[in-house]
Amino acid sequence: MTGISPILYQNEVAKLPQVQSDYEEVKKRVDKENKLTSIFDIIPSLRRVERVPDKIEQSEYVPAMGLVSLALLNAPEDWRDMKSAYSQIKSKAKGNPFAPSYDYKTAQHPFSFFRGTLLHKFVNPQTSPCPKLAKWLLKNDTTLWDTKLGDIVSKSFDVQTSKITTKIENITSTKENPSLVHAKQFVTKAKFGELTARAMTRTTKIGTAVLGGLEAIHLLKEIAEGENVIKSTAKSALNLVGSIAGIGYGGAIGAKLCGPVGSLVGMGLGAIAGNQIAKLAD
């Protein structure tokens, strides 16, 4: 205790219990926030708005509005997914067989940016007030599997595809002229190739473009504030790719193993993994 007053020493020792108490309190808050983050990631509608408070705090109002709009737009479809997952759990709990829309283990239906959302009728040329725009949107409402990147993956892994009918209705389906979505079966010797094909079939081109646009706005703001261009660009790229890949692969694995429940949980876990990957750029 050389050079330290006995009284000062006693005062500092007396503070230790309070310091320990403060540490435990902070730790509890951090743990609570981490649990809430996991819940947010697993529930689709909550996951979409998880970053809104941060965006508002950083004065990024356009991305915040975009995320809220996406959440509202997809709320009906998210609700249907959750109901399907609940029905699966309820059937298992009662020992009853669960009848899915199709066999998730052998096929994957193509996701749609508009099907089942608030814009469902607007994108249907038969019910839309803007038929020409509706046709254009419907034509472009495809997945990453239907792009040149999908062609490259297909050739690289020698993926063969076939179709099976599902119980999912197309946007243009009516009672008079029913139209059902076809799921795709991917046959290849490479398991990673089959999984990649599934993940790309679950990822829409428009959704990717929207998220890319929101990330670009965030990137421009950071650069305007003097952030390093290369580092900020790498961080944005990792955030975008990590989120899309995490949700795509996570959902594909979950759906194949456990159907609707697996799809929701898999996307949530994939979102968490994607966020962790994005943090590598920090």
Side-chain angles (χ1 to χ4, degrees), residues 19-82:
V19 172
Q20 178 68 19
S21 177
D22 291 343
Y23 168 76
E24 293 296 334
E25 183 64 25
V26 171
K27 187 176 183 298
K28 287 179 182 178
R29 291 179 181 178
V30 172
D31 290 342
K32 183 178 180 181
E33 288 175 359
N34 288 337
K35 290 177 182 178
L36 286 175
T37 298
S38 299
I39 294 172
F40 270 32
D41 284 326
I42 292 176
I43 301 176
S45 295
L46 296 181
R47 182 177 67 239
R48 300 180 200 278
V49 297
E50 178 186 359
R51 292 185 294 168
V52 170
D54 291 335
K55 295 294 183 184
I56 295 176
E57 185 177 344
Q58 297 168 10
S59 299
E60 297 182 20
Y61 300 113
V62 174
M65 289 176 62
L67 292 173
V68 172
S69 298
L70 282 175
L72 292 174
L73 176 66
N74 289 277
E77 185 67 6
D78 289 344
W79 176 244
R80 269 187 282 273
D81 288 343
M82 293 179 67

Side-chain angles (χ1 to χ4, degrees), residues 207-269:
T208 301
V210 171
L211 292 179
L214 295 176
E215 193 61 45
I217 294 173
H218 171 71
L219 173 60
L220 291 174
K221 183 177 182 296
E222 284 198 336
I223 294 176
E225 292 177 348
E227 296 290 338
N228 182 279
V229 176
I230 297 177
K231 183 178 179 180
S232 294
T233 302
K235 183 178 178 180
S236 291
L238 271 177
N239 185 48
L240 180 63
V241 175
S243 297
I244 292 174
I247 294 173
Y249 278 101
I253 294 172
K256 186 174 182 178
L257 295 177
C258 303
V261 172
S263 177
L264 284 178
V265 175
M267 286 191 293
L269 296 177

Side-chain angles (χ1 to χ4, degrees), residues 25-195:
E25 183 64 25
V26 171
K27 187 176 183 298
K28 287 179 182 178
R29 291 179 181 178
V30 172
D31 290 342
K32 183 178 180 181
E33 288 175 359
N34 288 337
K35 290 177 182 178
L36 286 175
T37 298
S38 299
I39 294 172
F40 270 32
D41 284 326
I42 292 176
I43 301 176
S45 295
L46 296 181
R47 182 177 67 239
R48 300 180 200 278
V49 297
E50 178 186 359
R51 292 185 294 168
V52 170
D54 291 335
K55 295 294 183 184
I56 295 176
E57 185 177 344
Q58 297 168 10
S59 299
E60 297 182 20
Y61 300 113
V62 174
M65 289 176 62
L67 292 173
V68 172
S69 298
L70 282 175
L72 292 174
L73 176 66
N74 289 277
E77 185 67 6
D78 289 344
W79 176 244
R80 269 187 282 273
D81 288 343
M82 293 179 67
K83 282 181 63 179
S84 181
Y86 171 74
S87 297
Q88 182 183 6
I89 295 174
K90 186 177 180 180
S91 297
K92 292 290 183 180
K94 291 185 176 182
N96 299 325
F98 172 69
S101 301
Y102 63 94
D103 186 359
Y104 291 91
K105 293 184 178 180
T106 62
Q108 173 63 60
H109 77 282
F111 276 24
S112 164
F113 187 75
F114 298 110
R115 186 176 59 238
T117 71
L118 296 177
L119 292 179
H120 184 109
K121 291 185 177 181
F122 181 84
V123 180
N124 184 351
Q126 303 172 18
T127 56
S128 175
C130 305
K132 290 185 178 180
L133 176 59
K135 288 181 180 180
W136 184 84
L137 290 173
L138 191 60
K139 180 180 178 181
N140 289 279
D141 187 22
T142 54
T143 69
L144 292 186
W145 182 251
D146 302 306
T147 63
K148 291 183 179 180
L149 179 60
D151 293 338
I152 293 174
V153 173
S154 179
K155 292 179 181 178
S156 299
F157 294 103
D158 190 24
V159 180
Q160 305 298 320
T161 62
S162 59
K163 297 180 180 180
I164 64 170
T165 303
T166 71
K167 297 178 182 178
I168 303 171
E169 293 187 347
N170 269 313
I171 288 179
T172 56
S173 179
T174 62
K175 292 183 179 180
E176 294 75 19
N177 297 299
S179 174
L180 301 177
V181 173
H182 287 89
K184 297 182 179 181
Q185 291 179 308
F186 301 102
V187 180
T188 174
K189 295 180 180 179
K191 291 184 178 180
F192 181 72
E194 194 259 352
L195 184 61

Side-chain angles (χ1 to χ4, degrees), residues 11-22:
N11 289 338
E12 292 303 316
V13 171
K15 291 179 181 179
L16 289 179
Q18 182 61 42
V19 172
Q20 178 68 19
S21 177
D22 291 343

